[in-house]
Amino acid sequence: MWLRKTEKTFDNRPAPMPSTASVFELFEGLRQEVLRHASLLDSPVHGEKHWRSVAQTGLRIARHVPEACPRLVVAFALCHDARRWDDSWDPEHGQRAAEMVDDIITNRSDLLPLLSAERWALLRDACAGHEKGTITDNLMIGACWDADRFNLWRVGLEPDRAFFSSMKDATIHRAGETTFDLISRQTRESFNNPASWEDIFYVATIERTTRT
């Protein structure tokens, strides 16, 4: 069994207990299914390292946005760029990712317990729309898009608050940072070395586990 029993996760939480194993297996099953469809796994811009950074950022957002679903943001991170064919201009790669989600829903019933039917539909919509540059009032989808947009740091672009949907929290944190500034800085500092999938899946499993 690959679950660690003594190490800490990226946010210093204890290692997973056996009761979380089934959700881990569902996440890993989804990851393996996505890898089967992916074309640019080793890309430094849109490959699997970027997916992990988006997942880690999404979990940070979920800490501050009660409407966000931790499992959904991680599933989005896995799926959103998996069907890219090019690192530059690749219109409709979001729609191709949405079609991949449809294929998973239709053909991988063993993975469906990971999310509710409503969340699977939201995952499809989040993938389809993430490349359009728009914002949304649906904060579950917005948290997904925002997790991706915070990662613009990896291509030398500073995230613009005007294109974020879920960053409405006016809380001021240490050093006078807003929630937007805090997550932006954390992402800038970690995108080159994001958390492992094991740590990400664990945090997504224990964070508000009823919000599936």
Side-chain angles (χ1 to χ4, degrees), residues 3-42:
L3 304 185
R4 294 175 296 174
K5 299 183 182 301
T6 58
E7 297 182 24
K8 300 285 187 177
T9 67
F10 69 84
D11 58 354
N12 203 37
R13 292 177 179 237
M17 300 297 290
S19 60
T20 67
S22 61
V23 179
F24 266 72
E25 290 165 0
L26 289 168
F27 269 126
E28 180 59 19
L30 177 60
R31 187 177 80 91
Q32 293 299 328
E33 182 65 20
V34 170
L35 293 179
R36 192 171 68 81
H37 293 272
S39 303
L40 299 175
L41 279 177
D42 296 326

Side-chain angles (χ1 to χ4, degrees), residues 81-186:
D81 277 345
R83 298 300 292 133
R84 263 190 170 273
W85 296 338
D86 193 288
D87 267 334
S88 55
W89 178 242
D90 189 357
E92 303 305 320
H93 73 271
Q95 181 58 38
R96 293 195 296 271
E99 292 167 0
M100 179 186 70
V101 172
D102 282 338
D103 183 70
I104 292 169
I105 292 170
T106 301
N107 297 308
R108 290 298 305 272
S109 60
D110 57 312
L111 299 178
L112 297 186
L114 180 63
L115 299 169
S116 68
E118 176 193 4
R119 304 293 196 269
W120 278 108
L122 289 173
L123 174 59
R124 186 196 186 286
D125 292 345
C127 287
H130 84 274
E131 65 179 278
K132 307 300 183 184
T134 58
I135 60 174
T136 177
D137 292 329
N138 186 311
L139 295 185
M140 286 195 184
I141 291 178
C144 296
W145 293 355
D146 291 354
D148 192 28
R149 291 170 189 180
F150 272 123
N151 277 274
L152 286 171
W153 286 114
R154 78 195 188 285
V155 292
L157 297 176
E158 183 173 354
D160 184 341
R161 190 190 302 262
F163 293 95
F164 282 70
S165 302
S166 68
M167 291 288 96
K168 306 180 189 301
D169 183 357
T171 302
I172 302 298
H173 303 273
R174 276 183 274 182
E177 292 178 312
T178 65
T179 299
F180 177 90
D181 294 332
L182 173 66
I183 297 175
S184 183
R185 174 178 59 78
Q186 290 173 329

Side-chain angles (χ1 to χ4, degrees), residues 9-11 13 20 23 27 58-66 68-74 199-212:
T9 67
F10 69 84
D11 58 354
R13 292 177 179 237
T20 67
V23 179
F27 269 126
L59 291 173
R60 288 169 174 154
I61 292 171
R63 296 275 178 81
H64 301 278
V65 180
C69 172
R71 293 191 198 178
L72 178 60
V73 295
V74 172
D199 284 350
I200 289 165
F201 295 164
Y202 172 50
V203 175
T205 298
I206 64 173
E207 289 281 294
R208 300 198 300 277
T209 54
T210 59
R211 299 181 63 81
T212 58

Side-chain angles (χ1 to χ4, degrees), residues 31 35 40-43 46-52 197:
R31 187 177 80 91
L35 293 179
L40 299 175
L41 279 177
D42 296 326
S43 165
H46 296 109
E48 194 172 8
K49 184 171 80 169
H50 168 60
W51 307 353
R52 288 190 286 121
W197 283 126

